[in-house]
Amino acid sequence: FQRRGKIDDDLLDELEETLITADIGVETTTRLIDHLRDQVKFQKKKGSTDINWLTDTLQSAIGEMIASENRSLKTGTEKPSVYLVVGVNGVGKTTAIGKLAWRFRSEGQKALIVAADTFRAAAIDQLAIWADRAGCDIVKGEEGVDPSSVVYNAVHAARAGQHDFVIIDTAGRLHNRANLMQELGKMARVIGREFPGAPHETLLVLDASTGQNALQQARQFTDTCGVTGIILTKMDGTAKGGVIIGIHDQLKIPVKFIGLGEKIDDLEPFEPEAFLKALFE
Amino acid sequence: NLQSRFAAIFGKLRSGKRVDERAVKEAVREVRLAFLEADVNYQATREFCRQIEEKALGVQVLAGLNPAQQVIKIVYDTMVEMLGGEKQNLTLMPGQQERIMLVGLQGSGKTTTAAKLAARLRQDGRKPILIAGDIHRPAAIKQLEVVGKQVGVPVFSMGTDVDPATIAKEGTKKAKADDLDTIILDTAGRLHIDEQMMAEVKRVRESWHPTLTLLVVDAMVGQDAVNQARHFHENLDLDGTILTKLDGDTRGGAAISVRYVTGKPIYFAGTGEKLSDFEFFHPDRMASRILG
Ligand SMILES: Nc1nc2c(ncn2[C@@H]2O[C@H](COP(=O)(O)OP(=O)(O)OP(=O)(O)O)[C@@H](O)[C@H]2O)c(=O)[nH]1
Ligand SMILES: Nc1nc2c(ncn2[C@@H]2O[C@H](COP(=O)(O)OP(=O)(O)OP(=O)(O)O)[C@@H](O)[C@H]2O)c(=O)[nH]1
Ligand SMILES: [Mg+2]
Ligand SMILES: [Mg+2]
């Protein structure tokens, strides 16, 4: 829409299409476009050719919606800091954990990753390969055992081994499966009971190509085990990940990291400015 | 929901009258909202609403019929049509070798679906073999071996240092030797904009000549579904789609995008993590689901 000459209703329609196509959702998009319309009136910008003013106004409105003081990972007062990684099937949890472990190692920290997905075919094998690549320790359980028992063992192993971080991989689960969500709630309680204050972060992994269902995922996972942050994966595709705007606005859950590929170093801290810029490309 | 919103809009019309234009416009606005909230593609929604408005304006309130119901029926029927009409069976030539290639984005459910499809086709009397064509993802081969074993279907692999085109070719030789007629190739997840990875799968297609190339799509994909479907279709000339994770509560508007862009049938629905959670795709059920 940079090619359009002036600020008018057609341009606002085009902006609406851009926002909806970025998966920002109807409700949030309507609020943003209404806000823009008000500003156009208030600042008497109708018919003006100052398109930059319009995009700046829009970007700063979105920027306000996703602003957060909690971008970095919370650490505990004593070692280890425990991070629980959750999310629906196939979004990139296991891969994100490999990347995080490698990142901690490159910062001189010792990580322990926990293969608490005791259900899916070759899940433990997959995480073990990441442990090898990241040069970190791993706790595995037997396939098919209660994941809470693996988590229990891991928390105790961590306290002995003087690890700085413990990152727990869980099986993908759809948020509308009550029994699977109960299993997750139990894991979170076991962690908290064995180590007060933990988990210090419960990270929801979201696939950037997910549509409006992402909001429901965030709601259900946060009701079950309190989500403290989001890892937004597969941002190296064409999807914009606009769903996180509504999630932030309504649930106050900040995006902490984004996944930009399948390699071990394809994880970066979330940069709101870069995200906003990419929305309009 | 849409039913009650329509009832409010059309409630006051008397039989014998034409449905008034203002009420239709208001109803179509509600439909547009419902579609976008259900992740139906923006452009497809626009086209769809245009068709619905045209049909709805022609409606005369039939005696004994409530106009809201008539317009709902137009919306529902238009959507079922957009999704392919009725369920489509995968017609495989009996006695002939079928080479089925599964492709799609990372994490969409290809490896799991490969085993589900193999089990289904064996129930239909075919003799399947699974080929491990993903040389990229950690433990992908092991994953296919485990699910293959779970459904009692043999798995052919050559490790991760051989290119997928060769693996497909060698796997086909093995199939012939063992008198197996249905070869299902699992491939690595890939982004439609990753030139190298799209080139890899095009090479497989050019040397292996699959009889069917199916795109595996996660039902919860949003507006990006159109991009995925378009690029994969342009590059590989898809024969159809399989929609996964329909046991979730996503409305699934991606189904429309995929059908709209490829013009090819959605053959199956993945409805769970168990290998038996595999059904025919039903356009009418999907239409109700999308409409909420
Ligand atoms: N392009 C891209 N692919 C990714 C990214 N993150 C993960 N993937 C890929 O997505 C696929 C699924 O990743 P996993 O880590 O197995 O996902 P998961 O959430 O653990 O899956 P389940 O345990 O089965 O629920 C793999 O092929 C990964 O390589 C990313 O940021 N970009
Ligand atoms: N609930 C549910 N989960 C599914 C379904 N199909 C696949 N899954 C799960 O989705 C996740 C990803 O499945 P995979 O088969 O590994 O996906 P993939 O496309 O092969 O992944 P990549 O090879 O990394 O691209 C796994 O946790 C599967 O168990 C389905 O229909 N319903
Ligand atoms: Mg995993
Ligand atoms: Mg796979």
Side-chain angles (χ1 to χ4, degrees), chain A residues 88-95 99 117 120 126 172 233-234 236 259-262, chain B residues 106-107 137 191:
Chain A
V88 302
N89 307 69
V91 293
K93 300 176 290 301
T94 305
T95 307
K99 293 171 176 177
D117 177 356
R120 207 211 67 211
Q126 184 187 4
T233 61
K234 309 180 198 171
D236 46 322
L260 289 164
E262 301 185 76
Chain B
Q106 289 89 346
R137 168 172 158 154
L191 292 176

Side-chain angles (χ1 to χ4, degrees), chain A residues 1-8 10-12 14 49 51:
Chain A
F1 58 82
Q2 298 295 342
R3 290 165 286 150
R4 292 195 68 87
K6 56 186 171 58
I7 297 177
D8 56 13
D10 284 346
L11 181 54
L12 287 179
E14 248 182 79
T49 54
I51 308 291

